[in-house]
Amino acid sequence: MTTTPVRDTTAQDRQNPWSRPEFEERLRDIATTRYHDRHAFNVRMHEGALTPAELRRWIANRFHYQRHIPVKDALILAKFEDPALRRMWLRRIVDHDGVREGEGGIERWLRLGEAAGLDRERLWSAEDVLPGVRLAVDGYVNFCRLRSPLEAVAASLTELSAPGIMRTRIAAFELHYPWIEAEGLAYFRTRVEQGSRDSAEALALVERWALTREEQERAVAALAFKCDVLWSLLDAVDGAGEGP
Amino acid sequence: MTTTPVRDTTAQDRQNPWSRPEFEERLRDIATTRYHDRHAFNVRMHEGALTPAELRRWIANRFHYQRHIPVKDALILAKFEDPALRRMWLRRIVDHDGVREGEGGIERWLRLGEAAGLDRERLWSAEDVLPGVRLAVDGYVNFCRLRSPLEAVAASLTELSAPGIMRTRIAAFELHYPWIEAEGLAYFRTRVEQGSRDSAEALALVERWALTREEQERAVAALAFKCDVLWSLLDAVDGAGEGP
């Protein structure tokens, strides 16, 4: 019996980083093909097929994700040695927490909830948050806590697809769910611009930091993980209607 | 042989929290009696007995502490569930990192270094940072990373004594080290007010959160730990003159 010597292309490939355009294309590909806008629940949302109860369930559960955004961003900020980088990332915390009471993305999400008939106190209580959603959010926060700055920042690159989903969502809500007051959609409107700016900044960092093929692969895997977080959140919300 | 039954006062005491004034007095007592203004190196600094080389050694090593303040504050911020609390704590990060390039406490410390004849790039390089200082700073950052919000905030209460030491230091530098330009002392001047505000806020939180005797004791221990961090930093700087 003979063994055919094979060239270990994998090991050799790892020595050769992708070109910057190829790396960026791979990131954008993940951010497109694995993004949660393709999830059945999201498709139904944008087609106008959700019942009011389903829409409220999504808003309450997604709030659990929203309120933890500044937490994960503070954990990322704590990884940066450079004050200029910290200043840049700090703005994300301000975007969500606001400069003062009554401002910021978390407040806007609460108003979306109220426009859909949900109680603010109840949203804060997290009573209606499903186990799968808790696990997804914990998983993401811990990823940002424990992984490298490169991976934590790469995970944020789902923002590459955020402006698109926000625009579609605003149109879908206005058309299909007129019982939600237009003012309630302020969160989505604000994120169109913030998402574009955030993803451009994060992409520049990831491209600057991921110099070896191994680092590039880690960045792609981090982004795929983050897509799984968002997908899994919708799985939990989608499945909840069937009961345990 | 007989054993005398003793009343287990320790266990009983733990059930009874100190009154708020007594708790505050215990915190203030630690922040006074164990504060690093009593360290021999600091006493010599304020008496005007340090050589230029010793003063530069202190500035370069203390910079290692200063540059990590926003890191520990981001780790503390990430522990807060309440956006209002996060907004309050975020200001500390801005105080040190500045709103833009060329501002903030870290920049002011770099200017103190330059006023004392130290090179900005060399300060960033951390080449002159002593092992004991690295360990002290790592120890403090990890304490803020791993401990409860109560303990992390209580550790910041050395700020109760900061305005006093800053005032003494400004006077001492102007009197004894006139070779350091007055503009270099901007860091100390800014911290008089910031330290008063920060310690008042942190004290209010610690008093609100530490309701049981055990929590109060943890807060006191956290503050004592932080005093040890600052003390230990000066031990390393003081001992370095003797060489390894």
Side-chain angles (χ1 to χ4, degrees), chain B residues 6 29 47 58 101 132 141 187 194 228 237:
Chain B
V6 285
D29 183 60
E47 284 173 356
W58 172 73
E101 193 71 36
V141 171
Y187 179 82
Q194 288 178 349
D228 290 349
V237 174

Side-chain angles (χ1 to χ4, degrees), chain A residues 71 78 86-87 97-99 101, chain B residues 71 78 86-87 97-99 101:
Chain A
V71 171
R86 289 195 296 255
R87 277 194 297 271
D97 279 339
V99 173
E101 193 71 36
Chain B
V71 171
R86 288 195 297 256
R87 278 195 295 270
D97 279 339
V99 173
E101 193 71 36

Side-chain angles (χ1 to χ4, degrees), chain A residues 181-193:
Chain A
E181 290 165 50
E183 284 166 29
L185 309 182
Y187 178 82
F188 305 140
R189 294 187 212 285
T190 311
R191 288 309 296 170
V192 173
E193 198 190 319

Side-chain angles (χ1 to χ4, degrees), chain A residues 108-161:
Chain A
R108 282 191 284 274
W109 197 274
L110 288 165
R111 289 182 191 175
L112 168 65
E114 288 175 329
L118 291 165
D119 180 64
R120 174 178 287 258
E121 292 309 312
R122 176 114 184 186
L123 285 167
W124 278 119
S125 78
E127 264 181 80
D128 304 308
V129 178
L130 298 157
V133 173
R134 289 183 197 272
L135 287 162
V137 172
D138 278 3
Y140 182 38
V141 171
N142 281 326
F143 187 93
C144 295
R145 191 191 311 274
L146 300 170
R147 296 300 186 99
S148 66
L150 170 64
E151 289 168 294
V153 172
S156 78
L157 286 176
T158 43
E159 292 287 350
L160 286 168
S161 299

Side-chain angles (χ1 to χ4, degrees), chain B residues 34-237:
Chain B
R34 296 180 65 159
Y35 197 55
H36 64 160
D37 62 341
R38 305 188 176 203
H39 191 287
F41 189 87
N42 193 76
V43 171
R44 289 204 296 128
M45 186 195 299
H46 289 187
E47 284 173 356
L50 295 188
T51 64
E54 284 175 318
L55 204 51
R56 288 190 191 107
R57 191 200 304 149
W58 172 73
I59 292 170
N61 276 277
R62 174 78 192 192
F63 178 65
H64 193 67
Y65 177 88
Q66 297 298 137
R67 68 190 284 187
H68 286 95
I69 293 175
V71 171
K72 69 96 184 162
D73 280 324
L75 292 168
I76 295 175
L77 190 151
K79 293 175 194 290
F80 298 154
E81 290 281 323
D82 177 5
L85 251 184
R86 288 195 297 256
R87 278 195 295 270
M88 186 182 98
W89 210 266
L90 186 108
R91 203 198 43 227
R92 295 174 182 239
I93 300 177
V94 176
D95 284 345
H96 286 272
D97 279 339
V99 173
R100 57 189 69 81
E101 193 71 36
E103 297 181 356
I106 293 176
E107 174 62 27
R108 282 191 283 275
W109 196 274
L110 289 164
R111 289 184 190 174
L112 168 66
E114 288 176 327
L118 291 165
D119 180 65
R120 173 179 288 257
E121 291 309 311
R122 176 118 184 181
L123 286 167
W124 277 120
S125 78
E127 265 181 79
D128 304 308
V129 178
L130 297 158
V133 172
R134 288 183 197 271
L135 287 162
V137 171
D138 277 4
Y140 182 39
V141 171
N142 281 326
F143 186 93
C144 294
R145 191 190 312 272
L146 300 169
R147 297 298 187 99
S148 66
L150 170 64
E151 289 168 293
V153 171
S156 79
L157 285 177
T158 44
E159 292 287 350
L160 286 168
S161 298
I165 201 176
M166 291 301 157
R167 285 193 204 94
T168 311
R169 193 164 280 165
I170 293 164
F173 271 59
E174 287 175 343
L175 181 64
H176 301 300
Y177 310 105
W179 54 275
I180 297 180
E181 290 166 49
E183 283 165 32
L185 309 182
Y187 179 82
F188 305 141
R189 294 187 212 285
T190 311
R191 287 309 296 170
V192 172
E193 198 189 320
Q194 288 178 349
S196 303
R197 184 205 58 199
D198 289 356
S199 62
E201 284 177 352
L203 185 62
L205 288 179
V206 166
E207 290 186 340
R208 199 169 92 202
W209 291 342
L211 298 176
T212 69
R213 173 69 171 270
E214 195 195 338
E215 287 163 340
Q216 292 174 330
E217 287 178 0
R218 276 182 188 272
V220 170
L223 178 51
F225 164 80
K226 170 65 177 304
C227 290
D228 290 349
V229 166
L230 299 176
W231 195 273
S232 167
L233 192 155
L234 288 185
D235 277 352
V237 174

